[in-house]
Amino acid sequence: MTQHIATTPSYDQLPIVDLSAADRGPRARALLHAQLHSAAHDVGFFQLVGHGVPRAETHALLTAMRAFFTLPEADRLAIDNVNSPHFRGYTRTGDERTAGARDWRDQLDIGAERPAREPGPGEPPYWWLQGPNQWPAALPELRTAALAWIDRLSAVAQRLLHELLTAIGAPAGFYDPIFGEHAHPHLKLVRYPGSAGDGTDQGVGAHKDYGFLTLLLQDTVGGLQVQREDGRFHEVPPIENAFVVNLGELLEVATNGYLLATNHRVVSPPGATERFSVPFFYNPRLDARIEPLPFPHASTAPGITDDPTNPLYAEYGYNELKGKLRAHPLVAERHHTDLLTPA
């Protein structure tokens, strides 16, 4: 059984985990597992290095992303997500919501490239989330780089999840059946254009992610803040070529609260400073039911966080649909009024 090593929290930086240690022999892998166990149980966030993503692929994605945000506004609005019942495409600055308040950023939402699936009679409405992406006609290299990134980070996230489950004494491949070729990954290309000018500084409001794992590539501007053990939000200083990893609500549910899904937010950069970030969400199939994880620490799990405003469902798709309807009210009003809860 892997021993859990308690640590004194330091708020200057998140724990740093080197995934390549898994390949450096039993002693290095055991240390990796101890670090992963502590980070996931005590913090719910860490910085991941040694992940093996080639710098050339990172450069290709970032170059294509910056080119997208310099396209004329008409080109970006041609793929407005309001056109997509699947919540894919471009969201204008201020059109997304977190906890009911506007987020001061614009973004492109991308998922697995699949045919549209309109739910039939009696089928769950979350099948609306499956469908094609919208791509800018003037920038074909963006499609290539983004879909390659989804494949690359899906592989990194799978490996990381295997090591994390092993670290807490669980079967490494326990959740493999709910991923595979029908998994529902999600990629955002995000620009924060600076402060809103009206005194609000919400780049993204405080929230938890609703999948399994999030791998975030952030630039050097900063602004990401994580709620730590003291209850306060602390800055996450960027580390070159590292991913900021956080656990989603499904892992908290799967472990009955032993692993943490942690509140985090982004404070808008000052003035007209731009900030770019690329969050990747490692999510299972929409129809996946999340079974409790068998692991030796289950008896010490404190239970999941109870938030009446954020109910959690056994089938993953309902959790994502709930989040999308709240975050993208314009899409919801155009395509899914029948799914909206009356005020």
Side-chain angles (χ1 to χ4, degrees):
M1 182 187 301
T2 305
Q3 184 180 8
H4 172 223
I5 299 177
T7 58
T8 302
S10 168
Y11 300 128
D12 294 335
Q13 180 56 272
L14 294 173
I16 299 172
V17 173
D18 183 354
L19 188 56
S20 68
D23 300 323
R24 293 203 295 269
R27 179 176 291 184
R29 191 166 183 237
L31 178 58
L32 165 67
H33 290 162
Q35 292 171 328
L36 265 178
H37 190 160
S38 177
H41 175 60
D42 298 330
V43 186
F45 262 85
F46 51 92
Q47 298 262 23
L48 186 71
V49 298
H51 44 71
V53 177
R55 288 179 182 262
E57 290 185 19
T58 304
H59 178 74
L61 181 72
L62 295 179
T63 300
M65 177 177 71
R66 288 177 178 270
F68 172 74
F69 286 109
T70 61
L71 289 175
E73 184 180 45
D75 287 6
R76 285 177 275 129
L77 292 178
I79 58 171
D80 195 319
N81 75 341
V82 174
N83 301 326
S84 169
H86 319 295
F87 298 88
R88 306 291 178 86
Y90 176 67
T91 303
R92 288 176 284 193
T93 303
D95 277 1
E96 189 176 21
R97 301 286 188 272
T98 299
R102 121 192 129 165
D103 294 326
W104 199 246
R105 63 179 185 174
D106 59 345
Q107 65 187 35
L108 184 64
D109 282 280
I110 302 163
E113 193 70 84
R114 296 192 181 123
R117 178 169 176 182
E118 182 174 342
E123 287 192 315
Y126 56 65
W127 289 116
W128 278 114
L129 299 172
Q130 177 178 305
N133 295 298
Q134 297 190 82
W135 302 105
L139 203 62
E141 61 268 31
L142 180 62
R143 182 183 191 278
T144 302
L147 293 181
W149 193 255
I150 287 175
D151 287 345
R152 175 70 71 177
L153 263 65
S154 291
V156 173
Q158 180 188 48
R159 185 181 184 209
L160 176 60
L161 181 60
H162 283 181
E163 296 297 339
L164 174 57
L165 296 185
T166 302
I168 64 170
F174 186 78
Y175 289 116
D176 285 358
I178 63 172
F179 285 92
E181 63 178 331
H182 298 294
H184 192 73
H186 179 207
L187 175 65
K188 286 179 180 277
L189 307 180
V190 185
R191 172 179 64 175
Y192 298 86
S195 58
D198 61 1
T200 61
D201 62 356
Q202 175 172 304
V204 176
H207 67 285
K208 299 178 182 180
D209 296 341
Y210 37 73
F212 264 71
L213 292 169
T214 302
L215 280 69
L216 170 74
L217 181 67
Q218 62 169 342
D219 66 11
T220 59
V221 172
L224 174 64
Q225 297 180 342
V226 172
Q227 192 171 31
R228 299 294 298 270
E229 300 92 320
D230 62 353
R232 298 171 57 193
F233 282 88
H234 294 267
E235 296 283 339
V236 178
I239 296 177
E240 185 179 4
N241 201 38
F243 291 114
V244 180
V245 176
N246 65 280
L247 279 59
E249 290 172 329
L250 291 187
L251 270 175
E252 181 172 315
V253 170
T255 61
N256 197 30
Y258 187 79
L259 299 182
L260 292 178
T262 305
N263 269 321
H264 53 288
R265 68 188 184 190
V266 174
V267 175
S268 293
T273 303
E274 287 186 321
R275 175 182 184 265
F276 293 90
S277 72
V278 185
F280 169 79
F281 305 92
Y282 185 57
N283 303 323
R285 298 192 326 256
L286 289 170
D287 61 351
R289 296 184 68 86
I290 311 307
E291 299 296 333
L293 183 69
F295 69 111
H297 306 281
S299 62
T300 66
I304 62 173
T305 305
D306 183 23
D307 181 354
T309 68
N310 183 38
L312 297 175
Y313 301 100
E315 283 181 71
Y316 170 67
Y318 284 113
N319 294 299
E320 180 163 329
L321 181 62
K322 170 195 67 180
K324 289 289 201 297
L325 291 171
R326 291 178 175 180
H328 297 281
L330 299 181
V331 179
E333 289 162 12
R334 174 172 288 192
H335 299 284
H336 302 298
T337 54
D338 57 318
L339 301 179
L340 296 176
T341 303

